[in-house]
């Protein structure tokens, strides 16, 4: 009887602890409580390893803040911030200063005006451009990815990094500890032997006992000589070229940048490098004066679980609130929180054309089923959903009227909003916005519309599976 009473007290303490720690995010609290009730001892262990708030780690917060102050000074000194909507070069933003103020307040990275961008469609075009830039490097190459595969594509990048390192170029490679867990030690040793510095971000064996296992670095970054930058949705591997027979064609989007915005991509990379390696890098040569003559307005938005503001979610919510004509979204994973759901429905009521393209085939069935659980409710509200059937849809695109668009690593799910280190480039130039809109329309031609007549008739078993996945999705 005493043992039973002790276990009951422990169980109650666990429940109280989760409620106190997760009160900011009710959906996460409900998911953790469901897991705890299903398997009390295991639930607590999983929460200890994966669920603790990143912001509670004072050591990591202190290190990040210390690094941020020095780096931001270099980036700010070299760049030209856009302070008025009229200076963005976008006529639709005239008189919409509230949107610019929102964007400027989200992160330390301002909207900058001296930029030139190029939208890269799919991995073949992206890899060609990245490798060309790396071959031209004379000072440094900084590469940060969530997934790096030891295959033909991975070897191409490896060869360039080794060759440039031997030429005296400083090459730094930052790998996510979980996403790159399959990368062999042999592969990494060959890089290190040539002088490439390689570090892993929150490797599983180190992050598990510290309760940081669930926090992943999902960014995709390449900076060459501090003058050319890349970001978007594409990792390094053959599957992104469509060579995986299971997934087939891989639809994705990346971005090449020159100008002020590169300083802030560099700023984010160096912060991540400091967290992973302990090395503080802030030399002015990492932020060289550029000669870019472009006039595009761009903002780099980095979000992390340790930030005071969930910048990625706030940026998307701001776009939803500002749009009056169209909201077009491409995302592989769609697990929105209640605020985003309400914003989507409200946008439809305002008369906006809300369209969302998701994959027809899943790479993660659990997440896919959780995504489908939101579709019927939003279809009923007037949101239009499409399944991309040419291959796998992995692009992460937002388009709000002609006001703004974003390209980056952020999925439309709570993991990207709250648990991942992410990066997006917000584009305000009308030409780039319409270029992305044109690609969206081409993707629609390869997609099939979902409707209540078809999707709404799925069986009870499918609905039950979707609801279970939805309940537990905040944990993943």
């Amino acid at each position: 009887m005493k043992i039973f009473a002790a276990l009951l007290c422990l169980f109650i303490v666990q429940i109280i602890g989760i409620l106190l720690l997760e009160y900011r995010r009710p959906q996460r609290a409900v998911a953790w409580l469901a897991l705890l009730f299903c398997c009390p001892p295991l639930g607590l262990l999983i929460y200890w390893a994966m669920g603790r708030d990143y912001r509670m780690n004072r050591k990591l917060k202190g290190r990040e803040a210390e690094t941020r102050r020095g780096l931001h000074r270099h980036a700010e000194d070299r760049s030209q911030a856009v302070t008025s909507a009229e200076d963005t070069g976008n006529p639709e933003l005239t008189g919409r200063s509230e949107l610019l103020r929102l964007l400027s307040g989200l992160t330390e990275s301002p909207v900058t005006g001296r930029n030139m961008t190029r939208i890269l469609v799919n991995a073949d075009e992206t890899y060609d451009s990245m490798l060309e830039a790396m071959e031209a490097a004379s000072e440094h190459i900084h590469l940060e990815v969530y997934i790096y595969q030891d295959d033909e594509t991975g070897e191409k990048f490896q060869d360039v990094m080794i060759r440039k390192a031997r030429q005296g170029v400083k090459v730094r490679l930052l790998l996510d500890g979980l996403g790159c867990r399959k990368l062999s030690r042999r592969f990494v040793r060959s890089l290190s032997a040539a002088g490439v510095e390689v570090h892993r971000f929150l490797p599983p064996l180190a992050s598990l006992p510290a309760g940081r296992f669930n926090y992943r670095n999902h960014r995709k970054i390449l900076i060459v000589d501090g003058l050319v930058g890349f970001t978007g949705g594409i990792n390094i591997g053959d599957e992104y070229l469509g060579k995986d027979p299971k997934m087939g064609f891989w639809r994705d989007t990346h971005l090449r940048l020159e100008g002020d915005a590169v300083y802030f991509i560099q700023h984010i990379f160096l912060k991540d490098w400091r967290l992973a390696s302990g090395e503080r890098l802030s030399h002015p040569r990492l932020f060289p004066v550029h000669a870019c003559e472009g006039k595009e307005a761009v903002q780099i938005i980095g979000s992390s679980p340790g930030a005071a503001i969930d910048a990625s979610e706030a940026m998307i919510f701001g776009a939803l609130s500002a749009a009056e004509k169209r909201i077009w979204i491409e995302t592989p994973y769609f697990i929105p929180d209640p605020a985003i759901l309400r914003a989507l429905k409200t946008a439809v009521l305002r008369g906006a054309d809300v369209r969302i393209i998701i994959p027809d085939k899943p790479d993660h069935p659990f997440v896919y089923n959780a995504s489908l659980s939101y579709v019927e409710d939003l279809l009923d509200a007037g949101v239009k959903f499409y399944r991309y059937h040419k291959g796998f849809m992995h692009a992460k695109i937002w388009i709000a009227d002609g006001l703004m668009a974003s390209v980056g690593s952020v999925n439309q799910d709570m993991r990207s909003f709250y648990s991942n280190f992410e990066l997006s480039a917000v584009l305000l130039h009308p030409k780039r916005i319409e270029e992305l809109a044109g690609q969206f329309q081409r993707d629609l031609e390869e997609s099939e519309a979902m409707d209540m007549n078809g999707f709404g008739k799925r069986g009870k078993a499918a609905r039950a599976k979707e609801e279970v996945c939805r309940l537990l999705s905040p944990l993943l």
Side-chain angles (χ1 to χ4, degrees):
M1 183 61 98
K2 290 182 179 180
I3 295 176
F4 178 78
L7 291 174
L8 180 60
C9 288
L10 178 61
F11 185 69
I12 293 172
V13 168
Q14 293 172 15
I15 292 173
I16 294 172
I18 289 175
L19 290 174
L20 289 174
L21 292 170
E22 299 293 343
Y23 72 92
R24 295 184 184 90
R25 300 170 189 169
Q27 284 181 298
R28 276 174 57 91
V30 170
W32 281 117
L33 289 174
L35 184 62
L36 188 62
F37 274 99
C38 291
C39 45
L42 184 60
L44 179 62
L45 290 174
I46 296 174
Y47 182 77
W48 183 258
M50 298 177 58
R52 286 182 289 161
D53 195 335
Y54 184 93
R55 283 173 283 197
M56 294 174 65
N57 191 311
R58 295 181 180 179
K59 181 179 179 181
L60 289 176
K61 284 181 65 179
R63 181 186 290 183
E64 186 173 352
E66 176 189 6
T67 307
R68 183 171 61 239
R69 287 190 292 269
L71 294 176
H72 189 263
R73 183 179 68 254
H74 293 311
E76 195 175 48
D77 290 347
R78 298 281 197 275
S79 60
Q80 177 180 301
V82 173
T83 57
S84 70
E86 289 71 24
D87 292 338
T88 62
N90 185 339
E92 285 202 30
L93 279 169
T94 302
R96 303 294 298 273
S97 58
E98 75 284 352
L99 181 58
L100 187 65
R101 284 198 301 271
L102 168 69
L103 293 173
S104 300
L106 288 179
T107 70
E108 296 175 322
S109 305
V111 177
T112 58
R114 299 182 302 170
N115 300 286
M116 182 166 57
T117 65
R118 177 185 165 196
I119 294 169
L120 303 169
V121 180
N122 299 327
D124 49 356
E125 186 176 349
T126 298
Y127 290 159
D128 286 346
S129 186
M130 290 173 69
L131 290 168
E132 180 183 10
M134 291 169 69
E135 291 282 9
S138 60
E139 206 282 329
H140 67 263
I141 294 172
H142 291 164
L143 179 61
E144 176 176 344
V145 290
Y146 176 63
I147 295 174
Y148 194 123
Q149 295 176 349
D150 184 356
D151 53 24
E152 184 178 350
T153 298
E155 289 175 358
K156 283 184 179 179
F157 279 84
Q158 180 193 45
D159 291 344
V160 175
M161 286 189 283
I162 288 174
R163 186 166 61 254
K164 299 306 291 188
R166 288 173 175 167
Q167 292 173 5
V169 174
K170 197 67 176 176
V171 183
R172 299 180 177 95
L173 174 62
L174 186 55
L175 307 169
D176 181 73
L178 184 65
C180 296
R181 66 191 182 281
K182 295 181 180 179
L183 194 62
S184 68
R185 292 182 179 179
R186 175 195 55 80
F187 190 93
V188 175
R189 277 198 301 267
S190 64
L191 288 166
S192 299
V196 177
E197 293 186 45
V198 184
H199 285 281
R200 293 182 184 267
F201 194 96
L202 292 178
L205 291 179
S207 59
L208 190 61
R212 302 289 172 257
F213 184 81
N214 199 39
Y215 300 107
R216 308 312 331 162
N217 193 322
H218 195 241
R219 293 168 178 154
K220 292 87 175 167
I221 291 174
L222 172 65
I223 307 110
V224 176
D225 292 345
L227 297 172
V228 179
F230 294 81
T231 193
I234 301 176
N235 292 293
I236 307 296
D238 287 350
E239 70 175 314
Y240 305 100
L241 291 167
K243 295 182 179 181
D244 183 342
K246 178 183 176 182
M247 300 308 299
F249 178 77
W250 191 283
R251 170 70 189 92
D252 221 322
T253 302
H254 223 68
L255 191 68
R256 184 186 188 277
L257 305 98
E258 295 180 48
D260 293 345
V262 179
Y263 296 142
F264 294 94
I265 302 177
Q266 181 83 291
H267 175 231
I268 289 170
F269 175 88
L270 295 175
K271 284 197 302 179
D272 290 349
W273 186 261
R274 164 76 164 141
L275 286 173
S277 70
E279 183 183 12
R280 187 189 308 165
L281 300 171
S282 61
H283 197 282
R285 71 171 178 271
L286 298 171
F287 299 87
V289 176
H290 67 76
C292 177
E293 297 180 352
K295 301 296 182 182
E296 298 179 40
V298 178
Q299 183 183 25
I300 300 301
I301 293 184
S303 58
S304 71
I309 297 175
D310 299 313
S312 293
E313 182 192 31
M315 178 268 289
I316 291 170
F317 186 85
L320 288 172
S321 301
E324 298 175 349
K325 302 172 186 175
R326 69 180 178 194
I327 296 167
W328 291 355
I329 304 166
E330 292 182 307
T331 180
Y333 315 120
F334 183 76
I335 306 177
D337 70 358
I340 298 296
L341 280 174
R342 286 193 296 271
L344 287 167
K345 293 178 181 180
T346 303
V348 172
L349 292 174
R350 287 199 308 272
D353 175 28
V354 183
R355 305 187 183 205
I356 302 173
I357 301 178
I358 61 175
D360 182 45
K361 60 172 70 174
D363 62 338
H364 299 296
F366 181 95
V367 180
Y368 188 67
N369 279 294
S371 298
L372 293 179
S373 72
Y374 293 90
V375 171
E376 186 171 345
D377 181 39
L378 288 171
L379 281 175
D380 192 48
V383 175
K384 301 169 187 174
F385 275 88
Y386 302 83
R387 280 174 160 156
Y388 185 78
H389 57 71
K390 183 178 179 181
F392 181 61
M393 169 56 69
H394 193 254
K396 303 119 179 4
I397 304 297
W398 278 81
I399 303 169
D401 290 351
L403 295 170
M404 59 179 285
S406 73
V407 177
S409 64
V410 181
N411 296 310
Q412 176 54 64
D413 64 6
M414 285 181 275
R415 161 160 284 285
S416 277
F417 293 160
Y418 305 135
S419 299
N420 282 349
F421 293 77
E422 303 279 9
L423 189 144
S424 293
V426 176
L427 308 179
L428 301 175
H429 195 277
K431 184 177 180 180
R432 292 294 168 262
I433 297 170
E434 290 311 310
E435 187 176 348
L436 284 172
Q439 183 58 53
F440 184 94
Q441 291 174 315
R442 288 189 288 275
D443 291 336
L444 278 181
E445 296 173 3
E446 304 288 351
S447 305
E448 182 180 358
M450 303 173 70
D451 56 50
M452 292 295 290
N453 291 332
F455 184 72
K457 293 179 180 178
R458 67 201 187 286
K460 292 181 179 179
R463 292 173 184 269
K465 182 167 60 174
E466 292 167 9
E467 291 304 322
V468 170
C469 293
R470 176 172 177 164
L471 174 65
L472 298 177
S473 62
L475 309 183
L476 302 177

